[in-house]
């Protein structure tokens, strides 16, 4: 398979007891998935793990092996329970070291904010051999170790790190999408959806049912890296819905 047509994939590990307990609602999954799509990379799986060394190590080793890229969010701050760096280093079989550039960045950032103490210096710790990901918000950089990208848990900081990575990851073609809506029960057209998707190579149809205004309907999101295939599939689905007496709505309901 050539570089232009092969599907590049990524996985995401969300680290944090606060996510699993429900105290904090994760917002990074959606923004990372959207950003990856623009880079031409598919977010294939997401795992939420606790602040536990063994759990993080196992997840890192499993997901980095079966995807082109692995992202982690959370657990790279200044406190003792921020153990993602240690876990990724253990998974990669390397030591944790203080990155000299990260230290310099933090020294500059905290020069007018009380100075660089031991806790803040923890944010300069990286797996040996890692590179840095720029962070314009809080000074503390993200980390790239092999195909593993360690990002902040705070969504606004993660957004800045993603901005710094834009265009730097090798990927395939961007994933395109279009939507067709219809007032119809999803179960009534399951065969139509399956046959239509099967007829167009590399096309996926996602079905999103809803109940609104006392009626049952669904939006069908068609995705492909090919604009021609996307348009042809949308046209076929539109014709198929019309043929059974249903009124398709371009762009969704």
């Amino acid at each position: 398979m050539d570089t232009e047509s092969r599907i590049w994939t990524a996985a995401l590990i969300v680290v944090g007891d606060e996510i699993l307990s429900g105290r904090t609602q994760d917002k990074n999954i959606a923004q990372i998935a959207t950003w990856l799509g623009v880079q031409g990379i598919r977010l294939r799986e997401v795992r939420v793990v606790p602040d536990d060394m063994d759990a993080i190590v196992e997840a890192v080793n499993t997901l980095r092996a079966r995807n082109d890229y692995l992202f982690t969010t959370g657990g790279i701050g200044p406190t003792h329970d921020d153990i993602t760096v240690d876990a990724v280093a253990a998974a990669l079989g390397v030591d944790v070291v203080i990155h000299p550039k990260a230290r310099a960045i933090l020294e500059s950032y905290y020069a007018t904010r009380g100075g660089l103490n031991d806790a803040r210096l923890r944010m300069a710790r990286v797996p040996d051999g890692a590179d840095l990901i720029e962070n314009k918000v809080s000074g503390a950089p993200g980390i790239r170790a092999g195909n593993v990208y360690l990002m902040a848990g705070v969504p606004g900081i993660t957004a800045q790190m993603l901005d710094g990575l834009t265009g730097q990851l090798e990927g395939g073609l961007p994933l395109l999408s279009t939507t067709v809506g219809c007032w119809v029960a999803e179960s009534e057209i399951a065969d139509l959806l399956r046959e239509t998707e099967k007829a167009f190579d590399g096309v996926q149809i996602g079905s999103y049912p809803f109940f609104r205004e006392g009626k049952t309907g669904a939006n069908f999101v068609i995705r492909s890296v090919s604009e021609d295939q996307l348009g042809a599939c949308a046209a076929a689905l539109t014709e198929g819905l019309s043929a059974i007496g249903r009124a398709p709505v371009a762009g969704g309901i």
Side-chain angles (χ1 to χ4, degrees), residues 121-134:
L121 184 59
R122 282 180 57 83
M123 294 186 287
R125 299 165 75 251
V126 303
D128 196 7
D131 298 317
L132 303 181
I133 302 169
E134 185 181 12

Side-chain angles (χ1 to χ4, degrees), residues 11-211:
L12 170 63
I13 298 172
V14 180
V15 179
D17 294 336
E18 70 278 5
I19 301 293
L20 289 167
S21 70
R23 290 192 300 272
T24 300
Q25 292 186 334
D26 179 83
K27 296 180 180 178
N28 278 321
I29 295 173
Q31 76 165 344
I32 289 175
T34 301
W35 180 85
L36 284 167
V38 174
Q39 311 305 305
I41 300 163
R42 315 291 176 267
L43 180 60
R44 192 168 72 172
E45 51 191 322
V46 178
R47 188 181 296 191
V48 184
V49 299
D51 296 305
D52 175 82
M53 179 72 75
D54 290 341
I56 301 171
V57 169
E58 191 277 329
V60 167
N61 276 331
T62 299
L63 299 183
R64 73 184 176 95
R66 65 184 182 212
N67 292 281
D68 296 297
Y69 303 105
L70 171 61
F71 287 78
T72 71
T73 60
I76 61 171
T79 59
H80 71 282
D81 60 348
D82 288 311
I83 58 172
T84 303
V85 169
D86 302 83
V88 170
L92 298 177
V94 299
D95 293 330
V96 174
V97 299
I98 298 292
H99 194 292
K101 184 177 178 182
R103 180 178 187 134
I105 291 170
L106 291 166
E107 284 177 342
S108 175
Y109 181 81
Y110 286 110
T112 58
R113 296 175 173 86
L116 185 60
N117 56 30
D118 288 343
R120 290 167 173 174
L121 184 59
R122 282 180 57 83
M123 294 186 287
R125 299 165 75 251
V126 303
D128 196 7
D131 298 317
L132 303 181
I133 302 169
E134 185 181 12
N135 164 23
K136 297 177 182 177
V137 176
S138 66
I143 303 163
R144 174 182 179 174
N147 70 333
V148 184
Y149 294 77
L150 287 71
M151 320 291 280
V154 179
I157 298 176
T158 296
Q160 288 292 323
M161 292 179 177
L162 291 173
D163 185 59
L165 281 176
T166 295
Q168 294 189 23
L169 274 62
E170 188 175 11
L173 299 173
L175 191 64
L176 308 174
S177 69
T178 189
T179 302
V180 176
C182 190
W183 292 104
V184 63
E186 184 183 34
S187 58
E188 289 181 37
I189 60 165
D191 290 341
L192 172 62
L193 292 175
R194 182 173 59 254
E195 291 165 5
T196 303
E197 182 181 77
K198 188 177 180 180
F200 296 91
D201 187 43
V203 173
Q204 299 171 325
I205 302 177
S207 180
Y208 304 93
F210 57 82
F211 184 78

